[in-house]
Amino acid sequence: MVRKKPMDQILAMIGECKNLLILGCDGCAGVYQEGGRKQVELMKTAIEMAEEVKKGRKVNILTDVVERQCESSFCASVVNPVIHNVDAILSLGCGVGVQVLADMYPNTLIIPGHDTMFIGVEDRESGMFHELCKACGSCLLYETGGICPVARCAKSLLNGPCGGQSKGKCEVGGWKKDCAWVLIYNRLKDRERLDLFTVFRAPKDFREMQHPREFSASGG
Ligand code: SF4
Ligand code: SF4
């Protein structure tokens, strides 16, 4: 999940750059309508207007969108032909996209246009995004009816609810959010799999979440 940085922060990072490429991402950021073609064009207009009004100057702005900014070959095909004409790239991808671009073009200023928040999903009815996974490295969703206690329990508990749940709501945040372990209990009960609810789960090996992590594409 990404969200647009405040415009004054983006303008401050652009500084005195005269030639800018705004690069969107049609991957996660595009799917959730933060980094797609429309957002790139809106950002172009917003920067042009702000630069003219606040600084009385014109910035030359190119725009494009790649299928996935986390994939360097996709970025190369779009950015290589124009990189010599730009002072900075404003990324409308996520933090991974920004870092891929920064590695590919170390002599060019790469500006993050987004704050990267979490791995989650949109509830289209409420217009809210919810964190669903913390990429913990050893997934236990089989035992929890497909509801992640690591991400969705405020205390990341692994063995059932704490004493802070009341009527299915979590004390953290003032009993507004569902207690993840009550959701898990209800899900497992519906599936007649409460045997999984009583399985004891040993403390998590948080070394698997220790940063920075690496993973071999060959599985080795
Ligand atoms: S247990 Fe939760 S945090 Fe860990 S991989 Fe599965 S969904 Fe992600
Ligand atoms: S009330 Fe439920 S969701 Fe909140 S911290 Fe306790 S177990 Fe986790």
Side-chain angles (χ1 to χ4, degrees):
M1 288 305 106
V2 294
R3 72 176 175 198
K4 189 161 77 81
K5 277 185 174 291
M7 208 56 207
D8 54 349
Q9 277 186 31
I10 292 173
L11 293 173
M13 289 187 284
I14 291 171
E16 298 306 312
C17 290
K18 291 193 178 85
N19 302 292
L20 186 68
L21 167 65
I22 304 176
L23 190 64
C25 174
D26 256 340
C28 313
V31 167
Y32 289 115
Q33 301 178 2
E34 293 291 345
R37 173 71 60 189
K38 184 176 165 197
Q39 290 74 38
V40 164
E41 295 305 326
L42 286 172
M43 178 63 77
K44 177 177 189 278
T45 304
I47 292 172
E48 282 172 345
M49 286 172 64
E51 289 285 339
E52 200 164 328
V53 170
K54 289 189 177 170
K55 298 182 197 163
R57 71 181 195 131
K58 184 173 173 346
V59 183
N60 301 314
I61 301 179
L62 301 173
T63 59
D64 218 326
V65 176
V66 289
E67 198 173 328
R68 290 202 308 272
Q69 226 176 81
C70 53
E71 171 55 58
S72 57
S73 61
F74 292 162
C75 295
S77 62
V78 167
V79 180
N80 282 0
V82 298
I83 190 65
H84 297 298
N85 297 326
V86 300
D87 312 318
I89 302 174
L90 171 62
S91 161
L92 293 191
C94 70
V96 178
V98 172
Q99 293 185 58
V100 166
L101 292 170
D103 277 348
M104 292 176 71
Y105 309 106
N107 299 322
T108 304
L109 175 64
I110 312 295
I111 299 169
H114 287 148
D115 292 323
T116 304
M117 308 300 289
F118 53 78
I119 304 169
V121 70
E122 182 181 14
D123 173 355
R124 291 199 183 263
E125 270 183 30
S126 66
M128 296 293 291
F129 292 90
H130 302 284
E131 183 173 28
L132 293 188
C133 174
K134 277 189 179 292
C136 74
S138 55
C139 192
L140 45 78
L141 287 174
Y142 172 76
E143 291 178 10
T144 60
I147 295 167
C148 175
V150 181
R152 295 172 70 176
C153 165
K155 299 171 190 171
S156 293
L157 300 179
L158 297 181
N159 287 295
C162 67
Q165 77 85 16
S166 175
K167 297 179 184 162
K169 298 290 180 187
C170 173
E171 65 174 344
V172 179
W175 288 280
K176 290 191 188 111
K177 292 181 183 156
D178 292 330
C179 166
W181 274 105
V182 172
L183 293 177
I184 291 167
Y185 177 87
N186 289 333
R187 175 74 57 81
L188 292 175
K189 191 174 170 204
D190 287 347
R191 292 183 181 173
E192 299 183 354
R193 288 305 312 267
L194 281 178
D195 56 305
L196 290 171
F197 189 78
T198 53
V199 167
F200 173 72
R201 278 162 286 273
K204 220 164 187 12
D205 183 352
F206 282 100
R207 286 173 300 183
E208 291 173 323
M209 293 178 75
Q210 193 178 332
H211 299 284
R213 289 180 278 182
E214 291 178 336
F215 179 73
S216 163
S218 64

